[in-house]
Amino acid sequence: MDRNPFIQIDSSHAVTLWLKTHQRSLWIGGIIWVLAIGFIAFLWRLGSTGLVDETEPLFAEAARQMTVTGDWLTPYFNGQTRFDKPPLVYWLMAIAYGVTGPNAWGARLPSALSAIALMGLCFYTLCRYGVGPHTSPGQKDLQSWLSAGLSVLMMALNLLFVVWGRTGVSDMLLTACIGATMLAFFLGYAETERPAIRDRWYLACYTFVGLGILTKGPVALVLPGLAIAIFLAGVGRFWQVVRELRLVRGTIVVAALTLPWFVAIGAVHGRAYTDVFFGYHNIERFTSVVNQHAAPWYFYFGVVLLGFMPFSAYLPVSMARLQFWRVQAWREQPRSRHLGLLALAWFASIFGFFSIAVTKLPSYMLPLIPAAAILVALAWSEAIASGTEKENSGLGWGWWASGIANVGLIGILAVAGLNVPRFLGPDSAVPNFPDVLRDAGIPLWAGLPWAIATVVGLGVLCARRLRWLWLVNGCAQVFFAMGVVMVLNVTDIHRQLPLRQLSDIAVQSARPEEAIAYVGFMKPSVTFYTQRSTTFVDDPADFVAELRQQTSASQSVLVMGETVVIDAIDAEAEDKEAIAIEKAYSLIRLRLPSTRE
């Protein structure tokens, strides 16, 4: 197993000359590559499904309210302030609504474009500096283009990016801001010959920090700052680069972008804003469990393994090949060779920070996915370009172990995909959901590409052509992304479409001053699709009493919810008038008593 797992690719002068003389064609091809992968992963059928309860409609409706009221300072949902996040994501959604209208496409467009923009900047960065410390001058151009192309593939076509890049929330926008901050920093850091260009990239770095703070708060400064500090300490250039960064100028740029809104919102709402945003959604999320999102300390190992699968199999060997413990050797390398080390600090900082935090969510790992893609792409491109992972590195066995783990993970995905209906628990909204998935052919779509990839991958391993596993993974990932979209469409038909249909019926059926209510687990999409204030009540046993306290409605109210919940409402049967039923959901008119003793 110590045999070289890669076959030497011709690195002659002719190859290098061809790359240098076809720069224009390569850049055009690279742009097409980024846009094609971005379209498949994020734009294809982006608006074909409705908003998914519960978080996505909260963002979408707050943005819609801005377009209706003209109040671009304070986000509102259902008549109440929404201080969870700063305004940038709402502003971008509202702008998108001006083009697409207030719909799922417009709500998700900022996330999709953010992901594609980050892919583009990553491609550009690796085209210029996508080489490792062991890359020979003759292989520099080949490895740079390989690493750039591979990084785009790995970054876009993984579960975390495909899901959140197609969801109208702030997570992907924050990820793009943090990723752009790190990449702009490196582009300035590596530019040693042109100080003016270096300063522009550092200025861009500060700009992205400010935009990140306007997206989700101080975390957009803390995470990149921590990663950059660790990186600079490792390469022994901390104070030298701090002077280059011109922190005073950077502070002014960040403050100019962020302070006007924070000062204005604080002046209008005072402690009501600061306690909710800074206290609850920042400090308490780090120090205590919020919204029951607790998990063990090792939670994120599983998230990265599954979320970056199958390329996650190569993360250990990609980190080990850097030999980051050889500090002196790294300090002797030119800055342009330090991208891998920065990606490692980037990855480790985010992973460690959120592992310490008490509240844990899978989406918190999104900002490290670009770093993971860079690490693995650098490792693969160096191995392919040189034909070996360096005989003296002692990592030949590591590549074989990673390749075997890679094929094993693909096999697991194949089995899981083919048997996905068996893994689903009971769902009151779609009681026959496993049968629905089988009838739609989802198990075949979810499992067959991985099953084929497993067979091909085993053949690649047996033929000792390990370098072709990236292509096996990439092809399977394209079909996987398409399968995810199909699953979302089938799920939407049975879970969200009935609510949209009932929302339309409710708007058409509502009498003057008749309120709309939802009973059961909160579904904010009802507010978005009815474009009406909605009363939400959890418990049907106390529905009438709570409704009387929360609304000044007329003697009747339109009530929506799952049929089994509607039937449990504490009212006389003759007070309920059935209006419509859509799958597991019902819409009724409930006549309220004039008084409630």
Side-chain angles (χ1 to χ4, degrees):
M1 283 296 184
D2 289 331
R3 183 181 181 274
N4 176 11
F6 295 94
I7 301 299
Q8 180 71 36
I9 291 180
D10 183 18
S11 58
S12 64
H13 178 69
V15 174
T16 302
L17 181 62
W18 187 92
L19 291 169
K20 289 184 178 298
T21 55
H22 290 79
Q23 289 290 308
R24 181 182 177 84
S25 298
L26 286 169
W27 278 110
I28 293 174
I31 293 171
I32 294 173
W33 176 251
V34 171
L35 294 179
I37 297 297
F39 174 80
I40 293 172
F42 308 117
L43 291 175
W44 179 60
R45 304 198 68 176
L46 179 65
S48 62
T49 60
L51 300 175
V52 179
D53 287 305
E54 91 182 281
T55 305
E56 192 178 29
L58 296 174
F59 282 88
E61 174 62 11
R64 191 190 70 83
Q65 282 294 310
M66 286 186 172
T67 65
V68 172
T69 65
D71 183 353
W72 292 70
L73 176 67
T74 307
Y76 287 92
F77 173 81
N78 207 27
Q80 297 182 348
T81 55
R82 176 169 165 78
F83 293 146
D84 300 41
K85 304 294 182 290
L88 184 58
V89 67
Y90 304 122
W91 292 344
L92 294 178
M93 287 180 179
I95 292 171
Y97 290 162
V99 178
T100 68
N103 52 34
W105 174 272
R108 294 166 181 163
L109 192 59
S111 293
L113 295 182
S114 296
I116 295 173
L118 181 58
M119 290 165 55
L121 184 57
C122 187
F123 184 89
Y124 172 80
T125 304
L126 269 75
C127 279
R128 295 197 61 192
Y129 302 111
V131 295
H134 309 299
T135 305
S136 64
Q139 296 293 344
K140 180 178 179 297
D141 292 322
L142 177 59
Q143 188 190 344
S144 296
W145 285 102
L146 283 172
S147 61
L150 289 172
S151 68
V152 167
L153 182 74
M154 295 173 185
M155 185 188 305
L157 299 178
N158 61 79
L159 181 61
L160 286 174
F161 255 55
V162 169
V163 171
W164 269 276
R166 306 177 69 91
T167 304
V169 294
S170 60
D171 297 271
M172 185 54 72
L173 181 59
L174 173 69
T175 296
C177 289
I178 290 176
T181 297
M182 298 299 298
L183 294 172
F185 163 78
F186 186 80
L187 288 167
Y189 169 84
E191 184 57 76
T192 56
E193 297 181 358
R194 296 177 294 178
I197 302 298
R198 179 187 63 199
D199 287 346
R200 290 174 191 170
W201 280 117
Y202 284 155
L203 184 61
C205 174
Y206 289 120
T207 301
F208 289 125
V209 168
L211 294 177
I213 293 173
L214 279 178
T215 299
K216 215 165 184 178
V219 70
L221 172 63
V222 173
L223 293 178
L226 179 62
I228 291 171
I230 293 173
F231 166 73
L232 293 179
V235 296
R237 291 177 167 89
F238 188 88
W239 293 114
Q240 175 188 355
V241 176
V242 165
R243 287 191 291 271
E244 292 176 3
L245 283 167
R246 299 169 65 181
L247 292 179
V248 173
R249 183 189 67 170
T251 302
I252 294 173
V253 171
V254 173
L257 287 171
T258 59
L259 283 184
W261 183 81
F262 280 102
V263 170
I265 196 78
V268 172
H269 298 283
R271 289 282 303 270
Y273 172 75
T274 56
D275 288 350
V276 172
F277 177 70
F278 290 104
Y280 181 74
H281 287 286
N282 283 272
I283 297 174
E284 285 192 35
R285 280 182 179 268
F286 189 83
T287 59
S288 60
V289 177
V290 170
N291 294 337
Q292 300 180 336
H293 295 307
W297 64 269
Y298 52 82
F299 174 70
Y300 289 126
F301 285 95
V303 171
V304 173
L305 175 65
L306 297 175
F308 194 54
M309 187 183 288
F311 301 110
S312 51
Y314 296 96
L315 279 172
V317 73
S318 299
M319 295 176 182
R321 65 171 277 281
L322 294 174
Q323 299 180 352
F324 54 88
W325 54 88
R326 298 181 60 187
V327 177
Q328 189 56 42
W330 275 103
R331 292 180 176 180
E332 293 173 357
Q333 290 284 339
R335 292 189 181 189
S336 59
R337 301 287 180 115
H338 286 171
L339 181 57
L341 199 62
L342 177 67
L344 180 60
W346 177 354
F347 183 100
S349 298
I350 294 174
F351 190 91
F353 180 87
F354 286 115
S355 293
I356 295 172
V358 179
T359 298
K360 290 180 170 60
L361 286 168
S363 60
Y364 289 174
M365 290 295 99
L366 271 173
L368 64 68
I369 292 298
I374 291 171
L375 286 168
V376 178
L378 286 174
W380 265 103
S381 61
E382 183 177 87
I384 294 172
S386 63
T388 178
E389 177 41 41
K390 290 295 177 183
E391 297 292 344
N392 60 358
S393 70
L395 289 178
W397 65 269
W399 280 105
W400 279 109
S402 299
I404 293 170
N406 181 184
V407 176
L409 289 175
I410 292 175
I412 292 172
L413 286 174
V415 173
L418 291 171
N419 293 276
V420 65
R422 298 183 181 181
F423 302 140
L424 298 175
D427 188 339
S428 59
V430 193
N432 62 335
F433 196 45
D435 295 330
V436 168
L437 293 180
R438 291 189 189 95
D439 294 341
I442 295 301
L444 193 63
W445 264 97
L448 187 59
W450 295 114
I452 295 173
T454 302
V455 174
V456 176
L458 287 172
V460 168
L461 289 178
C462 293
R464 295 176 178 263
R465 296 293 188 267
L466 192 60
R467 76 176 189 269
W468 292 108
L469 277 178
W470 77 266
L471 184 58
V472 175
N473 289 328
C475 292
Q477 286 291 95
V478 170
F479 285 100
F480 169 73
M482 296 171 68
V484 169
V485 176
M486 290 186 63
V487 171
L488 292 175
N489 275 271
V490 172
T491 304
D492 176 74
I493 291 172
H494 292 270
R495 291 185 60 88
Q496 297 297 139
L497 179 59
L499 286 175
R500 297 199 297 278
Q501 293 171 331
L502 290 181
S503 296
D504 290 340
I505 295 172
V507 172
Q508 297 168 9
S509 305
R511 297 168 179 169
E513 299 183 1
E514 192 171 42
I516 296 177
Y518 187 91
V519 60
F521 185 79
M522 184 178 179
K523 302 287 187 180
S525 62
V526 173
T527 304
F528 181 82
Y529 287 111
T530 60
Q531 298 189 6
R532 296 269 300 270
S533 179
T534 309
T535 301
F536 293 97
V537 179
D538 294 331
D539 190 356
D542 298 323
F543 180 77
V544 175
E546 282 204 42
L547 197 64
R548 277 300 189 193
Q549 294 176 4
Q550 294 188 38
T551 183
S552 57
S554 61
Q555 290 304 301
S556 66
V557 61
L558 294 177
V559 185
M560 201 182 308
E562 293 182 21
T563 302
V564 293
V565 179
I566 291 286
D567 292 341
I569 290 177
D570 59 329
E572 299 295 333
E574 58 269 19
D575 291 335
K576 302 176 183 178
E577 175 191 346
I579 297 178
I581 297 177
E582 294 291 344
K583 296 191 183 299
Y585 296 91
S586 293
L587 173 66
I588 67 170
R589 174 171 284 112
L590 181 66
R591 286 184 288 273
L592 300 175
S594 57
T595 59
R596 188 77 172 175
E597 298 297 338

